[in-house]
Amino acid sequence: MTYHLDRARFPIHKSIEIALEWNALTDPSARKIDLDLYAIGLNGENRLFSPEYFVSPHHPGRNRSITHKRGDSTSVSSHGSAGEAIDIQLDMVDAGVERIILPVNIYGASRRGQNLQSIGEVNFRVVDTSSGAGSQIFHSDLSLRAELADTAMVVGELNRETRDDKEDRWYFCTLFAGYPSLGVTLMEYRVI
């Protein structure tokens, strides 16, 4: 596991979009790249709060607070990129969820010999959508932060803080914790 120590913390208002876009390889002999974006709600004991709070392209979520918007993307758009996005309504997240981790994983990476460095540009964005128009509060190219063995990465997490006036505040905190597989990531966070 690789940790980068340049952690940053950004306040979030009521709702956000987490977006992941990557440049698809244009070489016809290149293998398909299937990046998946997750949002996983953890309780105060750092365990999965409930199966409803494990949101991925294959498990779009059954709660109204976290929604996987674009499904499982491997197709290339007209501008040469593929992407996925998750919307999170923080004021609707169950009170028992204290953290939401945000992993990214290359599906079938070991079978295809892929890692986060080999993809090229992998853009991860956090956009505050509370005002409607949306303002980007964070952006990073994950391929520049990954180590050679990383096929999965917990890019960051949303942390809930309850103040004395009982009003919840949410913060996006960067982590950039790289892993050799999603399974190792989920074991680290005691999701499986």
Side-chain angles (χ1 to χ4, degrees), residues 81-158:
S81 65
E84 297 187 2
I86 292 176
D87 281 334
I88 304 176
Q89 302 295 320
L90 295 167
D91 57 343
M92 296 171 65
V93 172
D94 191 286
V97 175
E98 293 193 11
R99 297 168 59 206
I100 300 171
I101 60 170
L102 302 166
V104 170
N105 176 61
I106 305 172
Y107 179 78
S110 60
R111 187 174 66 247
R112 297 179 180 135
Q114 296 170 338
N115 61 56
L116 287 170
Q117 282 186 347
S118 69
I119 295 174
E121 196 173 343
V122 180
N123 290 305
F124 181 89
R125 301 182 198 287
V126 178
V127 177
D128 190 327
T129 56
S130 302
S131 63
S135 60
Q136 181 174 287
I137 60 169
F138 178 77
H139 167 260
S140 183
D141 179 353
L142 302 186
S143 65
L144 301 176
R145 299 189 179 268
E147 301 295 329
L148 194 57
D150 295 343
T151 66
M153 179 180 285
V154 177
V155 181
E157 63 184 18
L158 298 163

Side-chain angles (χ1 to χ4, degrees), residues 22 25 29-36 58 72-75 84 105-116 118-119 151 180:
W22 60 97
L25 299 173
S29 65
R31 290 169 239 159
K32 180 169 57 172
I33 295 168
D34 185 2
L35 271 173
D36 291 330
H58 312 288
D72 192 18
S73 177
T74 56
S75 60
E84 297 187 2
N105 176 61
I106 305 172
Y107 179 78
S110 60
R111 187 174 66 247
R112 297 179 180 135
Q114 296 170 338
N115 61 56
L116 287 170
S118 69
I119 295 174
T151 66

